Amino acid sequence: MLPDFDQPPVTEVIIGIQNATTQFSNVHAGMFYERMKKRFPKVSEQDPLAAIFETFGPNPVQSGFHLQFGRTPTRYWFVTEDDCELIQIQNDRFLHNWRQTQASDKYPRFKKLFSEFVLELDAWQKFLQDQNIGDLSINQVEVTYINHIYTEGEGNPYAYLGDVFRFWAKDMPPQEGFPFDNATGSVRFLLQDEEGAPYGRLHAEFLPAFHNETQRAAIQFQLTARAKPKQDTVDAARATIEKCHEAIVKSFAGLTTAKMHELWGLKNVSD
Amino acid sequence: MREHAPTEQWSTTVLREVCGLLDLKSNWDTYGAAPIKRETAMFAIQMLQSVMRERTPTPSVVPSSIGGIQFEWHTNALDLEVHVAGPYDADFWFEDRDRGESIEDTISNDFRRLDEAVIALTVRA
């Protein structure tokens, strides 16, 4: 049972997997597009995503480096007609995004997005098998929630961070002659199994953002959970994705204030 | 001084050598060896970034026939060999010849046991 909100400030959700490199090429992208174009008629090419691994040692490794050599893989976006949903494919990635493109777009809920992702991942796995270009050996899953938070106070929303986040001192005194400009921050938490061993990480960060249509200043609060499934199978990946989602929802509720929960319409709990 | 910060010296050297391994084609050893995948290299580098100290000696970098990458240190009566077969799939062997002690273990996503061996290497360097 998880916290649930009537009007969560979610503007984008990404569900995805990372797998051992397949022999997927540009030719295969065209073939897979033929299977998916009814739902995702728009196509675009994107820079590749670097492989990321959540590991645990004494030095916190910043995932940002990318080994560039030889031919770099192409990442494709197949996008729905209304631009709200897309799948991303690469030789070692498969992701599904939902994004709010207009203020009236309502977050369709994880259950719906996850069931779509599962069907699309099945189609992707079947395609890889049909073409004999590699097994879907999954080494990591990830779930990301991007929230745009608007405060009730006038002017700079960063002056009201204490209203939004429980970890930010509400009564932080203004500095005379130095009005508050903005702030960024990040926090990381471990995901642990039943024995207390880490198997993933939850990254939470906040940074300045603006509403696409109105350009109103907002606080972007992004939560990403990445984890290694117990096995490299689709079933294990699905179970781990659900754990990542649970970690994000609990952390979102835990890191934000009761005042914001009221604004977003916190209901007791739901599945 | 930030003792945990990896130095540019080891990372430049090791990155160059690992990138060189990525050019190896199938059968590079003429005995049917597998090429090294990018994700194996990424994981191997990330593992080193996680455990290397400023004074840790730079390891030798060796390809393995299954498409893996091995890092080796043989210095000051200490031997450490770390073999990365793929992401989350590695093992290491460490021997302290002065003390007559050795450790062997597998590594998935938790590098803390490997870190103990790297600390020993660093302290004795």
Side-chain angles (χ1 to χ4, degrees):
Chain A
M1 303 294 270
L2 298 173
D4 188 24
F5 298 92
D6 274 334
Q7 295 171 299
V10 185
T11 57
E12 185 161 2
V13 176
I14 306 162
I15 305 169
I17 58 131
Q18 177 176 278
N19 55 277
T21 306
T22 62
Q23 300 302 310
F24 174 75
S25 69
N26 295 349
V27 173
H28 299 114
M31 295 164 75
F32 188 60
Y33 172 72
E34 285 300 316
R35 295 191 184 188
M36 306 302 283
K37 68 180 180 184
K38 191 172 177 185
R39 175 154 159 70
F40 301 98
K42 299 178 180 176
V43 184
S44 68
E45 292 185 2
Q46 305 288 329
D47 289 336
L49 295 171
I52 298 174
F53 304 102
E54 292 296 347
T55 56
F56 309 95
N59 291 329
V61 174
Q62 297 302 316
S63 52
F65 78 98
H66 187 186
L67 292 181
Q68 289 283 5
F69 65 97
R71 190 182 63 80
T72 54
T74 305
R75 176 169 49 126
Y76 289 91
W77 281 9
F78 295 171
V79 185
T80 55
E81 192 60 52
D82 64 2
D83 289 324
C84 283
E85 291 189 60
L86 61 101
I87 53 173
Q88 305 188 50
I89 54 173
Q90 186 177 300
N91 62 3
D92 61 350
R93 291 290 184 102
F94 187 89
L95 303 113
H96 177 111
N97 296 45
W98 168 82
R99 53 193 182 176
Q100 185 185 57
T101 58
Q102 297 176 29
S104 56
D105 294 336
K106 283 205 159 188
Y107 166 49
R109 303 287 158 174
F110 178 77
K111 203 170 182 177
K112 179 176 182 295
L113 296 177
F114 186 48
S115 61
E116 288 174 358
F117 170 78
V118 168
L119 289 175
E120 291 150 7
L121 185 62
D122 283 347
W124 176 238
Q125 185 179 32
K126 185 170 187 317
F127 176 78
L128 296 176
Q129 287 167 349
D130 290 348
Q131 299 303 317
N132 196 24
I133 53 174
D135 296 324
L136 199 57
S137 174
I138 298 168
N139 55 44
Q140 191 155 263
V141 305
E142 73 175 70
V143 179
T144 294
Y145 271 66
I146 300 172
N147 304 278
H148 279 192
I149 298 174
Y150 301 93
T151 53
E152 287 185 308
E154 292 295 313
N156 185 350
Y158 280 80
Y160 305 95
L161 276 174
D163 285 344
V164 176
F165 296 119
R166 291 177 61 189
F167 55 80
W168 193 270
K170 188 166 166 44
D171 57 352
M172 190 173 76
Q175 302 295 306
E176 196 174 333
F178 300 99
F180 203 89
D181 186 9
N182 63 42
T184 61
S186 62
V187 197
R188 307 198 310 177
F189 302 93
L190 295 178
L191 306 183
Q192 294 178 309
D193 65 17
E194 300 77 14
E195 280 82 43
Y199 69 93
R201 201 173 262 120
L202 176 79
H203 304 254
E205 64 175 336
F206 67 90
L207 63 161
F210 293 93
H211 189 281
N212 272 345
E213 292 173 1
T214 64
Q215 291 304 299
R216 183 181 170 194
I219 299 162
Q220 178 168 310
F221 185 36
Q222 179 168 326
L223 297 121
T224 296
R226 290 192 203 96
K228 176 184 174 296
K230 280 187 176 170
Q231 293 92 32
D232 65 356
T233 62
V234 169
D235 283 348
R238 286 168 58 171
T240 310
I241 286 171
E242 292 193 278
K243 285 184 179 175
C244 286
H245 168 250
E246 184 180 322
I248 285 176
V249 174
K250 286 181 175 173
S251 300
F252 177 80
L255 293 169
T256 50
T257 61
K259 179 176 180 175
M260 298 310 292
H261 295 173
E262 195 177 334
L263 196 68
W264 299 324
L266 176 64
K267 295 186 284 190
N268 289 335
V269 283
S270 83
D271 288 328
Chain B
M1 180 184 283
R2 194 170 164 235
E3 180 67 18
H4 277 241
T7 61
E8 273 192 20
Q9 190 181 353
W10 79 259
S11 61
T12 303
T13 305
V14 171
L15 267 174
R16 187 174 56 238
E17 294 188 24
V18 168
C19 285
L21 299 185
L22 292 167
D23 291 331
L24 294 173
K25 309 289 184 202
S26 291
N27 198 34
W28 52 264
D29 64 350
T30 73
Y31 291 99
I36 290 150
K37 291 184 173 179
R38 182 166 46 181
E39 64 261 28
T40 302
M42 292 282 285
F43 185 82
I45 293 291
Q46 186 167 323
M47 185 172 70
L48 277 195
Q49 282 187 318
S50 183
V51 296
M52 290 290 277
R53 263 67 171 184
E54 191 168 350
R55 290 188 296 118
T56 310
T58 301
S60 304
V61 181
V62 185
S64 73
S65 59
I66 62 162
I69 295 173
Q70 181 147 316
F71 299 120
E72 295 185 10
W73 293 260
H74 302 285
T75 178
N76 299 318
L78 296 171
D79 298 294
L80 175 60
E81 296 182 358
V82 184
H83 180 243
V84 181
Y88 301 119
D89 182 11
D91 54 72
F92 77 93
W93 168 74
F94 175 69
E95 182 171 28
D96 182 337
R97 279 175 271 132
D98 280 351
R99 295 184 177 181
E101 295 171 357
S102 66
I103 309 170
E104 268 187 277
D105 207 350
T106 56
I107 305 168
S108 176
N109 57 2
D110 191 341
F111 305 147
R112 283 174 293 189
R113 283 215 78 191
L114 172 64
D115 185 49
E116 292 169 19
V118 173
I119 288 172
L121 271 178
T122 308
V123 168
R124 211 178 284 184

